[in-house]
Amino acid sequence: KTTDGVRSGESGHMLPLRDYMDALAWSEEYLRDAYQSQIDADLQLVSEGFLNRAESDILIRALTTTENAIGSGYDVPWAIGTGTNVNYIPPQGSQSTLFDSTHTHFQYLAAAAPTKAWANTLMKDLRHHGYSGRLVLLISEADIDAWAAISGFVALQPAGMQIVTTTASSGLQISTGEVDGMPGELFGYLNVNRGVAEVRYYERIPTGYCFLSKSFGANNPNNGLALRLHPTTPFGLAPAMEITNTLPARMKSIQLQATHGVGVNKRLNGVAGYFASGAGAYVNPTIS
């Protein structure tokens, strides 16, 4: 007897793609009289604005429940079982956990500071979908002391050094220095019941918010977030000059164009967290 064939199901979503435009206040007369440091400063100002915008795109997508319409589809957040246009109830997969419409990857804690138990809850949201190994936790710079106070936090030590500590309440702890990987400044690790996570702070993450994910390295399709580019346009700023119809030709103006979008790639490979005294639900942050 021939075995019955199977086909997978799909829960579709789309990655955003947006055009951006910046301009330099250059003219023929300005460029004629400008010295090199002025030109460098102009370019640096525009490039910093571009990087600031790209960073904002990453944080907004990682920490908000917002769905953005794209034609007939949506740019979606992490997994939410109900209440959205593109609900997502995960399949059982390789783990034994069954999921229902209450499942969400936006967790909140009604407390003034994070706890070890809540850190385990955030990790569990990735573990029961099969994301094993070391995770990465991005937090607010304002919350460094609060996260460092959690039992199981191990401070980052300089590369090449080993620090061995032992107390009556904790066993052997060893930490070696690592500084490469996900964005943010690495300053320690969480070693709790559900595993190990790098702890990195981002100045622009508002106090009380955090984001947990598993990094698979650059350009890996299993990463939680993805950068979408136009097939004819590389990532970054491209100059577009307006030239006069004269001999010799002269530059009238210059604009800098960019096209990219940041979206959720794997709806299960990301958990956003929010803690605050009296919190009763996850609240989207304002990224400045």
Side-chain angles (χ1 to χ4, degrees):
K1 181 180 178 180
T2 302
T3 302
D4 294 336
V6 297
R7 290 184 177 178
S8 64
E10 294 181 331
S11 178
H13 63 274
M14 304 175 69
L15 294 176
L17 188 65
R18 301 182 180 92
D19 293 321
Y20 302 95
M21 185 76 71
D22 295 295
L24 288 166
W26 285 356
S27 65
E28 182 182 4
E29 291 77 14
Y30 173 80
L31 292 177
R32 181 193 64 194
D33 299 331
Y35 44 88
Q36 188 61 49
S37 62
Q38 288 178 305
I39 301 299
D40 293 341
D42 293 341
L43 294 173
Q44 184 67 27
L45 180 63
V46 173
S47 63
E48 287 180 354
F50 169 79
L51 293 174
N52 176 73
R53 185 167 56 219
E55 182 183 74
S56 177
D57 289 342
I58 294 172
L59 296 179
I60 289 173
R61 185 64 284 170
L63 293 172
T64 63
T65 61
T66 307
E67 291 177 301
N68 302 301
I70 305 176
S72 59
Y74 287 91
D75 158 28
V76 299
W78 308 113
I80 301 178
T82 188
T84 64
N85 291 291
V86 187
N87 299 327
Y88 183 49
I89 301 175
Q92 179 175 341
S94 61
Q95 305 299 310
S96 60
T97 306
L98 295 175
F99 306 98
D100 57 26
S101 62
T102 64
H103 187 70
T104 177
H105 279 211
F106 290 89
Q107 301 289 350
Y108 70 92
L109 174 68
T115 65
K116 179 180 179 180
W118 192 56
N120 276 304
T121 297
L122 299 177
M123 286 192 183
K124 181 180 178 181
D125 265 346
L126 294 184
R127 299 302 190 199
H128 60 198
H129 296 305
Y131 291 101
S132 59
R134 181 179 294 176
L135 307 176
V136 180
L137 178 69
L138 300 183
I139 70 165
S140 170
E141 182 182 30
D143 300 328
I144 289 177
D145 291 340
W147 283 99
I150 292 178
S151 174
F153 177 83
V154 182
L156 175 70
Q157 303 298 332
M161 294 183 61
Q162 284 190 327
I163 304 298
V164 181
T165 61
T166 179
T167 66
S169 59
S170 65
L172 191 67
Q173 297 183 6
I174 299 177
S175 173
T176 57
E178 295 181 22
V179 295
D180 295 328
M182 290 276 284
E185 188 68 24
L186 176 64
F187 72 99
Y189 300 85
L190 274 182
N191 187 4
V192 293
N193 306 61
R194 296 285 178 177
V196 176
E198 297 179 6
V199 187
R200 296 172 174 267
Y201 70 82
Y202 238 34
E203 294 88 342
R204 294 184 64 185
I205 295 179
T207 183
Y209 288 89
C210 63
F211 166 62
L212 184 70
S213 186
K214 169 69 181 286
S215 173
F216 288 89
N219 297 321
N220 192 297
N222 291 310
N223 287 332
L225 292 173
L227 175 69
R228 182 183 178 189
L229 302 176
H230 193 279
T232 64
T233 306
F235 180 66
L237 295 169
M241 292 183 290
E242 184 180 1
I243 305 298
T244 63
N245 188 21
T246 61
L247 290 176
R250 297 176 179 178
M251 186 184 70
K252 292 175 61 178
S253 64
I254 181 169
Q255 293 183 324
L256 298 168
Q257 301 172 339
T259 301
H260 71 266
V262 177
V264 168
N265 180 54
K266 293 286 186 178
R267 297 190 73 179
L268 300 178
N269 188 11
V271 181
Y274 167 63
F275 64 87
S277 298
Y282 186 90
V283 179
N284 286 337
T286 298
I287 305 297
S288 59

